[in-house]
Amino acid sequence: MSSPVPKAPPVTLIIFGATGDLTRRLLTPALINMTRIGLVGGDFHVLGVGIEPGGDEMLRKHLEDFVPEKGGEGAVKKGAAWKQLRRRIAYMSGDFTQDALYEELAKRIAAARSDNVAFYLATQPSFFGPIVDKLADHGLLAEKPGAFRRVAIEKPFGTDLKSAQALNKRILARADESQFYRIDHFLGKETVQNIMTARFANMMIESLWNSNYIDHVEITAAETVGVGTRGKFYDTTGALRDMVPNHLFQLLAMVAIEPPNSFDAEAIRNEKAKVLKALRHWTPAEAAENGVRGVFTAGALGGQKVAAYTKTPDVAADSSTETFVALKFYVDSWRWAGVPFYLRTGKVMAARDTEIVITFREVPFAQFTNTEIDRKLPPNRLIIQVQPDEGLKMEISIKHPGLAVATAPVSLDFHYADLFDISTMTGYESLLYDLFIGDQTLFQRADGIEAGWAAVQPFLDLWSKGGKPDPYKPGSMGPPSADALLARDGRHWHAVSLPDAPRGVPAIKAVSARKKPR
Ligand code: BG6
């Protein structure tokens, strides 16, 4: 049993962009879950802010219509929790760039029972800087003893190193780093948080966690969805900006950090920043060698026709935006010297699968001399299944029963769903809770964000010079050039589980050696 978590302090959550997609799809289900579990109570209030005209009832109805009773993404049982939360939701309409909005906000905050305020910027990124400026101009970020003012900022935080630096500079001129909570929703996922527990609570894992034993690391975030209605955003963003400096680097950092001296937010963020700063910065020629970009063509996936990316609404017909990337990095540190980290992510791929695969080195000496086993003994692998079917697998070799000396690869599997119910959680529950209690562990610090952008900047620079991504078929695992990236190193990508593959142990192929008669 986990220890009970205390209720968050009284707070007003002011959401900019309250009628937008993120608020209804993720924040509201998370707030309902938090109400049900008792993480927030009667002293928690939501004030939505948006450009759409309307009042409290408009927003409540808008959110209510969207949140499903059960089934589907963000599914939560609304019931009593929603009823309690519903009456504590208010709305005000206004223009984020106009002083009038902030004057009204100041009045509402002054009238609220609690002086604790968390501002949540779920808006277009172009509003992040202006909203922080206006909040500061109107004195709304000034903290008083016993009353906090915090700002949660959604991704994307900048579009490259320069813009991320500029945004950090702008907001940090108006409030302290301790008041900013830069969101990366991957850090809200149980399995991502579990990486640190798996490493630092298990001697048998952490003691092998270095270049002496680990051959390489793969991080895959494959999606079956396309770009949908997000063409306008995606075409100026692409797979690299959308997924790598944020989500994939957070996974990489969790895998690669040194043990922090405590689970204190600053201790962990210091270690994470060290890893991101140790990522090797490629020269232009090296970036060309170590990066692949792809774009999906027309085809079919799951029995459905898929139009080519360039035919997506709001995407330029001659777009050279990538919907897939595969990249190789090194973390230049004592622990990780010479261990490649291969990252890949893409849309409209064979399966939805986010996984981290740690492949261990081969055994230094196999006693099965001059036999098949000697040549084919597969390496041990630890697979952290981030989603779906969250869990952890260890691939090892065992003796195949029988008289012949034969080994068989087997997988020791742990599935969260077998022991716990995490299915209704969105991942935003822990992020919002931490925002309310003031724990920045799961949020990105300015230096970490900038280090991430610095490591992908060589690819951004290279690809901005021209050329086109390599085409790949919907339902594939990216273009052939992604396989070639690993093949050059004598390696291949771990095969992801396909949607209808049976769960559990892979087909057992024994590697055998006949015993020699004496
Ligand atoms: C978002 C990206 O940050 O993460 C999306 O903008 C992507 O393009 C999404 O689909 C993936 O998140 P998850 O939690 O669905 O794996």
Side-chain angles (χ1 to χ4, degrees):
M1 276 275 297
S2 55
S3 55
V5 178
K7 189 174 80 61
V11 57
T12 304
L13 174 67
I14 298 184
I15 306 177
F16 286 82
T19 54
D21 192 49
L22 180 89
T23 307
R24 41 183 204 180
R25 206 164 53 80
L26 292 160
L27 299 184
T28 307
L31 292 172
I32 296 173
N33 282 333
M34 293 172 75
T35 306
R36 197 184 63 244
I37 306 167
L39 295 178
V40 292
D43 49 12
F44 170 71
H45 295 271
V46 177
L47 172 57
V49 184
I51 193 78
E52 286 77 9
D56 302 348
E57 205 43 40
M58 181 281 287
L59 180 62
R60 292 171 184 163
K61 183 98 190 31
H62 173 80
L63 300 176
E64 188 165 58
D65 288 350
F66 189 80
V67 177
E69 198 65 49
K70 51 178 167 262
E73 188 181 14
V76 284
K77 293 183 197 78
K78 281 189 287 184
W82 170 244
K83 278 200 199 107
Q84 280 171 39
L85 179 66
R86 192 185 194 285
R87 55 175 178 263
R88 297 200 305 272
I89 295 178
Y91 180 73
M92 59 178 270
S93 164
D95 182 335
F96 303 152
T97 62
Q98 297 302 309
D99 289 313
L101 173 89
Y102 299 86
E103 283 156 16
E104 176 61 24
L105 263 186
K107 282 189 211 152
R108 299 252 193 152
I109 293 171
R113 250 182 268 154
S114 154
D115 219 4
N116 291 333
V117 184
F119 299 99
Y120 199 112
L121 311 193
T123 65
Q124 295 292 332
S126 56
F127 286 120
F128 296 163
I131 291 176
V132 170
D133 278 344
K134 288 282 182 210
L135 289 173
D137 289 348
H138 289 264
L140 300 177
L141 296 182
E143 295 191 303
K144 290 184 225 126
F148 64 74
R149 296 296 162 94
R150 300 182 185 136
V151 186
I153 305 183
E154 266 295 335
K155 74 171 266 274
F157 194 95
T159 54
D160 58 10
L161 177 58
K162 246 173 139 180
S163 57
Q165 284 170 331
L167 183 55
N168 273 329
K169 197 163 169 217
R170 181 169 179 177
I171 64 174
L172 291 172
R174 309 308 304 262
D176 190 69
E177 175 67 47
S178 63
Q179 294 175 268
F180 289 109
Y181 288 68
R182 298 174 191 81
I183 302 255
D184 185 311
H185 80 275
F186 264 47
L187 290 172
K189 296 181 193 284
E190 277 296 343
T191 27
V192 176
Q193 295 171 32
N194 184 44
I195 301 172
M196 284 211 292
T197 311
R199 286 189 53 193
F200 303 131
N202 293 295
M203 194 60 185
M204 60 180 274
I205 293 183
E206 185 55 20
S207 51
L208 302 179
W209 215 252
N210 59 58
S211 62
N212 293 336
Y213 300 103
I214 293 178
D215 181 75
H216 67 281
V217 177
E218 292 167 56
I219 301 178
T220 294
E223 296 185 278
T224 49
V225 293
V227 173
T229 53
R230 300 165 76 216
K232 200 164 160 220
F233 158 78
Y234 199 86
D235 207 35
T236 54
T237 304
L240 177 61
R241 287 187 173 93
D242 191 35
M243 295 293 288
V244 180
N246 31 63
H247 305 327
L248 297 196
F249 278 180
Q250 288 303 319
L251 299 183
L252 183 150
M254 290 289 205
V255 170
I257 58 169
E258 293 300 321
N261 59 2
S262 75
F263 267 9
D264 172 72
E266 280 321 279
I268 292 175
R269 298 195 320 164
N270 286 342
E271 294 304 336
K272 275 181 25 183
K274 277 190 212 161
V275 169
L276 296 172
K277 286 174 193 168
L279 283 169
R280 190 176 299 173
H281 294 179
W282 298 120
T283 64
E286 287 168 339
E289 269 285 295
N290 292 303
V292 166
R293 56 181 164 155
V295 64
F296 64 85
T297 59
L301 180 62
Q304 301 281 319
K305 264 184 146 180
V306 176
Y309 170 69
T310 47
K311 294 275 193 289
T312 307
D314 299 325
V315 166
D318 62 348
S319 169
S320 50
T321 299
E322 77 289 348
T323 58
F324 170 95
V325 287
L327 308 165
K328 177 176 164 184
F329 287 98
Y330 283 104
V331 176
D332 285 326
S333 67
W334 184 292
R335 183 189 285 262
W336 295 110
V339 177
F341 284 72
Y342 301 104
L343 275 48
R344 66 178 165 166
T345 182
K347 302 279 186 201
V348 197
M349 293 174 70
R352 176 169 180 253
D353 185 44
T354 304
E355 62 172 29
I356 300 169
V357 181
I358 314 290
T359 302
F360 289 85
R361 290 190 184 282
E362 288 177 6
V363 288
F365 170 69
Q367 288 80 350
F368 317 97
T369 328
N370 297 328
T371 68
E372 287 276 277
I373 298 177
D374 195 22
R375 291 189 294 277
K376 288 197 187 148
L377 206 56
N380 292 142
R381 284 210 190 95
L382 179 74
I383 300 164
I384 302 167
Q385 186 64 36
V386 176
Q387 63 186 17
D389 193 13
E390 293 80 352
L392 203 73
K393 295 180 199 172
M394 248 181 226
E395 292 183 359
I396 61 166
S397 288
I398 53 132
K399 179 181 179 298
H400 196 285
L403 294 185
V405 180
T407 64
V410 293
S411 173
L412 310 181
D413 292 7
F414 157 66
H415 299 265
Y416 264 93
D418 292 345
L419 298 181
F420 309 99
D421 179 15
I422 59 169
S423 59
T424 52
M425 294 295 172
T426 64
Y428 272 82
E429 291 81 358
S430 57
L431 298 176
L432 286 166
Y433 181 73
D434 288 351
L435 170 68
F436 302 156
I437 64 164
D439 183 342
Q440 290 184 299
T441 311
L442 298 178
F443 298 86
Q444 304 189 79
R445 208 170 57 187
D447 56 345
I449 289 238
E450 291 177 16
W453 279 115
V456 298
Q457 194 63 47
F459 297 106
L460 291 174
D461 291 342
L462 178 73
W463 295 340
S464 69
K465 292 207 171 81
K468 292 265 182 197
D470 299 337
Y472 67 94
K473 283 270 170 223
S476 70
M477 283 306 290
S481 45
D483 296 330
L485 179 73
L486 266 70
R488 281 200 288 278
D489 294 345
R491 301 187 175 100
H492 57 268
W493 292 101
H494 176 249
V496 302
S497 317
L498 294 173
D500 28 12
R503 176 172 137 172
V505 188
I508 293 182
K509 254 200 247 139
V511 180
S512 63
R514 209 165 303 134
K515 267 188 186 164
K516 284 200 187 106
R518 294 197 181 178

